[in-house]
């Protein structure tokens, strides 16, 4: 048996399919786990040796639906449903 052309013709079974969390074709069908993001585990797969991969999918690369308004709301003391008090101009002499 040769290692090249004839062996490549036998490759027609898929071990991985698309992952529903990260979208990569890394979800192992038999193991039922993603080799890229570790789905269905609650925590994302991340190691310190993969610095660039972490940068691609860290906080700030998505929509940040909750976090993008948090700093503004924190600055205002998390007030809701009320008008801000009018600021008084300092009395000039």
């Amino acid at each position: 048996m040769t290692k090249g052309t004839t062996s490549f013709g036998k490759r027609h079974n898929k071990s991985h399919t698309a992952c529903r969390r990260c979208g990569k074709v890394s979800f192992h069908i038999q193991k039922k786990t993603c080799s890229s993001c570790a789905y269905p585990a609650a925590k994302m797969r991340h190691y310190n040796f993969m610095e660039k991969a972490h940068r691609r999918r860290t906080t700030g690369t998505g929509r940040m639906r909750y976090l993008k308004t948090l700093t503004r709301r924190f600055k205002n003391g998390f007030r809701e449903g009320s008008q801000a008090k009018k600021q008084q101009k300092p009395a000039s002499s």
Side-chain angles (χ1 to χ4, degrees):
M1 189 102 199
T2 58
K3 296 184 284 183
T5 311
T6 52
S7 299
F8 278 92
K10 294 181 181 356
R11 305 198 310 176
H12 54 76
N13 293 326
K14 290 183 178 176
S15 57
H16 292 88
T17 186
C19 172
R20 60 170 71 159
R21 178 158 72 183
C22 66
K24 289 188 176 182
V25 185
S26 304
F27 189 79
H28 198 283
I29 299 166
Q30 286 185 317
K31 292 182 186 176
K32 297 279 190 279
T33 53
C34 179
S35 58
S36 180
C37 71
Y39 179 83
K43 292 184 178 179
M44 288 282 280
R45 177 179 170 272
H46 165 250
Y47 297 102
N48 288 333
F49 66 78
M50 47 191 221
E51 201 174 319
K52 281 173 132 178
H54 177 60
R55 212 181 300 149
R56 281 185 218 111
R57 56 177 161 203
T58 190
T59 312
T61 56
R63 285 173 59 186
M64 294 208 313
R65 298 188 283 290
Y66 175 75
L67 272 178
K68 68 181 169 190
T69 62
L70 193 66
T71 49
R72 171 174 48 81
R73 287 170 49 234
F74 170 75
K75 189 176 69 177
N76 296 324
F78 295 100
R79 62 163 185 250
E80 284 184 341
S82 62
Q83 288 286 336
K85 290 173 188 161
K86 295 206 171 170
Q87 293 182 338
Q88 297 289 330
K89 288 185 180 176
S92 58
S93 57

